[in-house]
Amino acid sequence: MDHSIASVRRYPDIKLYRDDFSHSHAGMIVHPGKRILFISNPGKNGGEVTAVRIDTGRYSRTAREEYPIFSNRLPSFEYSIYECTEEYTFASGIRNPSGMALSLDGERLFVAERAGKILALEVDSGTVLQTIDVSPMGYTTIGGMAVSPTSGDLYFVDIDANEVVKVEASDGECTYNSLLNSGYKSDIEFSQKEFSANCGSSVPFSLTRDFSCSVSGIIPNGTLFEQVHTDGYASENPDVQSDAGMDASAALLTNRTDCEYDSGLNFDALLLGGYFCHVCLPQNHGSSCDDGGTCQNIQWQGFTCDNEFYVDYDDDSDSLVLSSLYYETTYSHENIIDIFRGTTYRFTVRTGDDRPVKITQNLDMTGGNSISISRLQNPSSFEDVTTGPILVSIDETSPDFIYLTSGELKPVTFVIKHREAEGLTDDNMPTTVLPSAAVYFSAQEAFMWVALLSLVGYAAFMD
């Protein structure tokens, strides 16, 4: 990535704290009129929303010495530390705040409590106007939120339900009595005018700024603007930080496992290196895959997951074809594919409208209905899917076989196993290849054949 004309500023005065949930979303949003950044701060004082006035803060020093991993050595790349930034607690007593969104008029800030509540707070006073409890509907892991710029409807993501949910705005104009004291508001406006008249407009009026704060400027070492660092993200090859290209040695962070808070690993390197798959990332044990998945970096491109398949229709063979970017392998109905309990699998369907796909636990070639086991994970799987994902969570209650089907096409079969019992690793996807002339049986027919063979074996044993 080229940061030669970028501006990256660090604000060490702003302290943010995680909650107890490694998968939690912590939202941020800027009020366009008031120029205030609202930040979910779930681990501070039991949960609060921190407000930062984004036009405050003063340049202190370069960040290149204290944070020595950065992406461009040219002086045009601003990498600085700002201090004396104005911040304050906007609202407290919010349990695990996560997503945030502003109403269209900017008068209300919606803040989600992760466990299933949405609070509407008045921006001027920071007080709660209304609470929406969605936990009785099963939404107990709220993540990001957004307000539609056209309808004003509120949308939120629930992580465990894997759904985007709409909260419709009420009909008519939303009215409420402001909890801000009218006398206080008029006094503030008067004080702002007096302050500007006596102190000038260059210093904005504020009740929360620490006017005694002073920055600790340090004259930087000039070599910080010349050298190419060799301690992780960067490489001794000068091409790594120029437009000429990047070499493989810039991926030295891939195998780092020293993830402790006091380790020598600089987590800025993960950010600047564009890592989405790394053992030191907090989500899903370092994986950006669905639960139970293992990711793998593809240098300069992204990552793949071992629990994700792409589903296509092949015109030449008139059959379904699965592919895995992780294993660089293509599968057909002639393969029986091993999948494992304790894992959520993502099947991204790309067959088009003429080839709807579903995953079933029963095969019935006589035209009867099959049962979709993915219904609880993906609402769209009530109907056959033609475009988009099907998510299937495999656990102890799942059957030993499931099938990917589409109309009269031959199904793709998955056998469900325990990873530990098989003693398998993620190095290779175990599959069984059926003979090309294999006969396709329905589940009922297969059961009858197994029963018949068992009886024959028993009779031979008795003889």
Side-chain angles (χ1 to χ4, degrees):
M1 67 180 70
D2 182 13
H3 279 175
S4 61
I5 56 174
S7 177
V8 178
R9 298 176 180 179
R10 305 185 68 97
Y11 294 85
D13 295 343
I14 312 301
K15 303 297 183 183
L16 304 179
Y17 302 90
R18 290 182 182 175
D19 60 10
D20 297 330
F21 302 95
S22 61
H23 292 260
S24 286
H25 170 87
M28 297 190 298
I29 191 166
V30 175
H31 194 291
K34 297 181 180 294
R35 304 282 292 169
I36 296 175
L37 170 66
F38 296 103
I39 309 171
S40 292
N41 208 343
K44 184 177 181 181
N45 300 324
E48 70 170 45
V49 174
T50 299
V52 179
R53 297 192 181 275
I54 60 177
D55 294 321
T56 64
R58 287 179 286 163
Y59 174 83
S60 172
R61 56 196 180 276
T62 180
R64 300 185 185 218
E65 189 163 356
E66 295 166 62
Y67 305 94
I69 299 177
F70 47 89
S71 58
N72 199 286
R73 67 183 184 215
L74 298 177
S76 57
F77 168 49
E78 182 198 346
Y79 188 38
S80 309
I81 293 175
Y82 271 61
E83 294 179 332
C84 298
T85 307
E86 184 179 342
E87 65 159 323
Y88 59 95
T89 298
F90 172 74
S92 59
I94 301 177
R95 186 179 179 184
N96 296 316
S98 55
M100 290 194 294
L102 280 167
S103 61
L104 294 183
D105 58 9
E107 298 296 325
R108 295 169 302 284
L109 175 69
F110 300 103
V111 181
E113 288 187 334
R114 184 182 191 273
K117 291 184 178 180
I118 300 173
L119 311 179
L121 289 82
E122 185 181 26
V123 170
D124 284 340
S125 65
T127 53
V128 178
L129 299 172
Q130 184 182 1
T131 300
I132 305 172
D133 189 355
V134 296
S135 60
M137 292 178 279
Y139 301 120
T140 57
T141 52
I142 300 179
M145 294 201 302
V147 168
S148 168
T150 55
S151 67
D153 292 335
L154 176 67
Y155 292 82
F156 69 85
V157 172
D158 188 87
I159 299 171
D160 286 351
N162 195 47
E163 292 180 19
V164 177
V165 184
K166 180 173 74 170
V167 180
E168 293 184 348
S170 60
D171 294 334
E173 184 179 355
C174 177
T175 59
Y176 60 92
N177 294 322
S178 174
L179 299 177
L180 187 66
N181 185 287
S182 58
Y184 173 82
K185 186 174 182 179
S186 61
D187 288 344
I188 288 293
E189 293 173 352
F190 174 78
S191 299
Q192 287 176 329
K193 294 178 181 179
E194 288 294 310
F195 187 87
S196 298
N198 290 282
C199 300
S201 58
S202 60
V203 181
F205 172 79
S206 175
L207 294 178
T208 56
R209 178 180 298 183
D210 181 5
F211 287 91
S212 66
C213 179
S214 61
V215 299
S216 55
I218 298 175
I219 299 176
N221 188 329
T223 59
L224 294 172
F225 298 88
E226 300 172 358
Q227 65 184 2
V228 177
H229 297 280
T230 60
D231 48 357
Y233 169 75
S235 165
E236 292 181 351
N237 186 335
D239 286 345
V240 171
Q241 296 186 17
S242 71
D243 293 333
M246 290 182 148
D247 69 353
S249 61
L252 297 176
L253 287 172
T254 300
N255 298 320
R256 293 285 292 271
T257 59
D258 50 331
C259 309
E260 298 78 13
Y261 74 94
D262 57 350
S263 75
L265 175 63
N266 190 317
F267 290 95
D268 285 341
L270 298 180
L271 172 65
L272 296 175
Y275 279 88
F276 290 94
C277 170
H278 197 281
V279 69
C280 293
L281 294 177
Q283 180 177 348
N284 199 10
H285 305 290
S287 172
S288 294
C289 306
D290 294 299
D291 287 347
T294 299
C295 62
Q296 177 175 279
N297 281 303
I298 301 179
Q299 191 175 1
W300 320 130
Q301 296 183 37
F303 68 98
T304 60
C305 297
D306 69 342
N307 57 340
E308 181 172 6
F309 295 90
Y310 291 90
V311 183
D312 297 286
Y313 169 73
D314 181 56
D315 288 312
D316 295 335
S317 61
D318 188 29
S319 63
L320 294 176
V321 175
L322 270 72
S323 58
S324 168
L325 296 179
Y326 184 93
Y327 295 104
E328 299 181 344
T329 304
T330 300
Y331 310 96
S332 70
H333 64 273
E334 296 182 349
N335 297 110
I336 296 179
I337 305 173
D338 291 355
I339 57 178
F340 301 96
R341 301 185 191 276
T343 305
T344 296
Y345 287 87
R346 178 182 293 266
F347 298 86
T348 301
V349 180
R350 306 183 296 195
T351 54
D353 294 339
D354 296 334
R355 297 291 177 183
V357 171
K358 63 182 174 184
I359 294 181
T360 69
Q361 63 183 15
N362 294 328
L363 287 179
D364 186 354
M365 296 305 292
T366 63
N369 293 326
S370 58
I371 301 174
S372 173
I373 67 169
S374 57
R375 288 182 179 179
L376 294 178
Q377 293 299 320
N378 181 12
S380 65
S381 61
F382 276 102
E383 304 294 337
D384 292 340
V385 177
T386 57
T387 302
I390 301 176
L391 292 174
V392 182
S393 291
I394 305 298
D395 56 25
E396 295 301 323
T397 65
S398 302
D400 292 332
F401 293 88
I402 60 174
Y403 308 91
L404 183 75
T405 66
S406 178
E408 299 300 320
L409 298 180
K410 294 181 179 179
V412 179
T413 304
F414 298 86
V415 59
I416 299 176
K417 298 183 177 182
H418 286 89
R419 222 178 267 269
E420 297 79 7
E422 297 296 319
L424 298 171
T425 66
D426 292 316
D427 294 336
N428 295 288
M429 168 65 81
T431 61
T432 302
V433 180
L434 298 176
S436 58
V439 179
Y440 169 65
F441 296 103
S442 70
Q444 292 84 352
E445 292 171 327
F447 177 79
M448 288 189 294
W449 274 105
V450 170
L452 178 60
L453 291 174
S454 298
L455 289 174
V456 172
Y458 178 74
F461 174 76
M462 294 299 294
D463 290 341

